[in-house]
Amino acid sequence: MKSKYSWLAPALALVLLAASCNRDKQATTETAETEEAKVPAAPSFNADSAYAYTTKQVAFGPRVPNSKAHVATGDWLVQKFKNLGLTVKEQPFEAMAFDGKMLRSRNIIAQFQPQATRRVAVFTHWDTRPFADKDDQHKNAPLDGASDGASGVGIALEMARVLASQPDSLRPNVGIDFILFDSEDYGYDGSTQSDLKNQLQAQEEQGKSSWCLGSQYWAQHLLPANYKPDYGILLDMVGAKNAKFSREQLSVEKARDIVDKVWNTAAQIGYSDYFLFQDSPGITDDHVFTNQAGVRTIDIIDHLPVGDEYFPAYHHTTQDNMSIIDKRTLKAVGQTVLQTIYAG
Ligand SMILES: [Zn+2]
């Protein structure tokens, strides 16, 4: 079931049916059904549940490294994945932010079917940006990070819940690792923070970044050791109403087949209003470093399809709160990723 043929099956069935005027329709239909039956349907992703997981994180308060809310949320996430029956590993680390602060951080890795040899990684980040520097009025205020942070984790948790509740016969044939990076969003934004000194400037010139501190640490200290999944999918800003996902440049360069697979799946199950067959410039996100670590990774990230702005207006502002979260977006992303994994 690895081949793209699986994806072609329903389309092929239509072509065959259309071309079957002077052939035996019955026989053609049966062939099509047999082929289609080989594509396992994923279980249903519950958007209410994903929404509740998103709400819960936001209710802890901004998940800014070194804060109480951050520690409490991390503890809750670890416990939640354990309660769902996954095997959880924590990767504590300290990293220096651009402003010189040492951030007490941890990556959280939750494994479903840890014994499976073939694996897929679902990456996301669980911290929130400490300041709404793109806000018109409250530039120093922390933000809820409802879409930028909590939504990706909410989808990961719901995927874990659905997967773990399947009987053996309905489980996918791969293991899945939910890898939640910390300290992704404490980076230096030259467009809004030019009055501040970026203390990591020298390092940035050597290919490091003030963003994505958790994935950079992880890429240097792979956990699980020698980790080599078939591919990875990064979820970032995946919960806002009317979100749009384009085919981001680095994703296409590194894993064109996975981009195609995800976008075609979305179209097939009715979510092409979210997953646009349109390209977007590359961005610095955790997938830069997971790709460097040898995991072919694509990024699913909310991107404005028209105009010069890369991100929608809520990005890094106090508007990124629960009022912009839409269950249908959570469903579109969660169901598409689940179905992609089930199709193999
Ligand atoms: Zn962000």
Side-chain angles (χ1 to χ4, degrees), residues 109-128:
I109 294 112
Q111 301 191 277
F112 172 71
Q113 300 188 151
Q115 74 291 348
T117 330
R118 283 191 50 218
R119 312 200 63 77
V120 172
V122 174
F123 299 109
T124 187
H125 76 89
W126 71 275
D127 62 304
T128 47

Side-chain angles (χ1 to χ4, degrees), residues 99-165:
D99 60 4
K101 275 205 187 77
M102 285 305 283
L103 307 180
R104 291 186 297 278
S105 313
R106 64 177 142 168
N107 296 327
I108 298 169
I109 294 112
Q111 301 191 277
F112 172 71
Q113 300 188 151
Q115 74 291 348
T117 330
R118 283 191 50 218
R119 312 200 63 77
V120 172
V122 174
F123 299 109
T124 187
H125 76 89
W126 71 275
D127 62 304
T128 47
R129 184 154 182 74
F131 15 70
D133 49 313
K134 287 170 76 179
D135 206 288
D136 285 340
Q137 289 168 358
H138 313 283
K139 293 185 188 303
N140 292 315
L143 53 146
D144 285 348
S147 185
D148 193 358
S151 66
V153 176
I155 288 174
L157 276 168
E158 172 55 12
M159 283 181 65
R161 189 197 66 79
V162 172
L163 288 164
S165 65

Side-chain angles (χ1 to χ4, degrees), residues 198-339:
N198 177 8
Q199 300 190 29
L200 301 179
Q201 190 77 50
Q203 292 184 31
E204 302 223 344
E205 282 150 20
Q206 294 160 16
K208 295 188 178 171
S209 174
S210 60
W211 303 90
C212 306
L213 299 174
S215 54
Q216 290 186 74
Y217 183 87
W218 181 84
Q220 299 299 320
H221 308 83
L222 282 184
L223 187 64
N226 305 315
Y227 188 55
K228 197 76 190 145
D230 288 0
Y231 62 90
I233 297 178
L234 170 61
L235 306 177
D236 195 5
M237 301 171 61
V238 282
K241 190 170 166 48
N242 297 324
K244 302 290 176 212
F245 310 113
S246 302
R247 299 173 301 197
E248 184 265 348
Q249 192 180 351
L250 183 68
S251 309
V252 172
E253 270 170 32
K254 298 289 186 180
R256 174 87 217 199
D257 56 326
I258 307 304
V259 171
D260 288 343
K261 207 160 134 165
V262 169
W263 262 249
N264 290 338
T265 302
Q268 215 173 47
I269 62 176
Y271 296 120
S272 48
D273 51 338
Y274 290 94
F275 290 81
L276 309 182
F277 286 91
Q278 175 173 323
D279 298 328
S280 56
I283 49 156
T284 301
D285 204 350
D286 289 317
H287 69 316
V288 170
F289 303 99
T290 60
N291 273 304
Q292 281 177 13
V295 180
R296 296 188 320 118
T297 309
I298 69 160
D299 192 4
I300 300 178
I301 183 162
D302 200 350
H303 162 69
L304 273 186
V306 286
D308 295 334
E309 284 293 318
Y310 198 97
F311 294 112
Y314 69 80
H315 182 241
H316 294 177
T317 74
T318 52
Q319 288 171 53
D320 187 359
N321 56 48
M322 285 309 292
S323 71
I324 63 159
I325 300 297
D326 187 350
K327 289 178 188 176
R328 191 164 178 267
T329 307
L330 298 171
K331 172 77 176 175
V333 175
Q335 195 65 58
T336 297
V337 174
L338 259 188
Q339 181 59 47

